[in-house]
Amino acid sequence: MNFSIGDLFVVRYINDDLTDRHGILTRIYTEFDGIEPVQEWLEIHWTESNGHRYRGEHDAHYVRKTLKDKRFCWKHYPVKEAQ
């Protein structure tokens, strides 16, 4: 699964304790250990349903895993589909 700048993410929580949110992918970068790539990161600018906004940095491997796991309520809309 590939990500692109401008992709939309939607997170819905079944639990009333947490707030639904949506976010736009604004940056993709790779952390290196010397010359070897170590970890890919996604910077997502989130807006919660209560209006709170914040920037989150997420491990791309974890995001891919979460999107495939039906126990989580994460949805990914590639920028090409979101338009």
Side-chain angles (χ1 to χ4, degrees):
M1 172 181 310
N2 292 322
F3 300 114
S4 299
I5 302 299
D7 285 1
L8 172 67
F9 291 87
V10 177
V11 180
R12 303 237 181 257
Y13 293 106
I14 297 168
N15 219 341
D16 289 340
D17 298 43
L18 299 171
T19 305
D20 293 350
R21 65 186 185 208
H22 67 275
I24 301 293
L25 179 60
T26 56
R27 183 173 162 220
I28 302 169
Y29 62 98
T30 303
E31 186 179 311
F32 287 87
D33 179 15
I35 59 171
E36 295 296 319
V38 177
Q39 191 168 4
E40 182 182 26
W41 290 93
L42 307 176
E43 183 177 294
I44 301 174
H45 285 240
W46 293 102
T47 302
E48 294 181 339
S49 57
N50 63 7
H52 176 73
R53 293 178 179 211
Y54 63 96
R55 178 183 60 86
E57 294 181 351
H58 305 275
D59 176 346
H61 174 74
Y62 175 79
V63 171
R64 286 182 182 97
K65 186 177 173 182
T66 301
L67 286 165
K68 290 178 183 176
D69 191 331
K70 299 300 181 199
R71 294 175 297 166
F72 295 98
C73 298
W74 278 60
K75 301 289 181 198
H76 171 237
Y77 301 95
V79 68
K80 292 176 182 118
E81 293 176 21
Q83 292 176 348

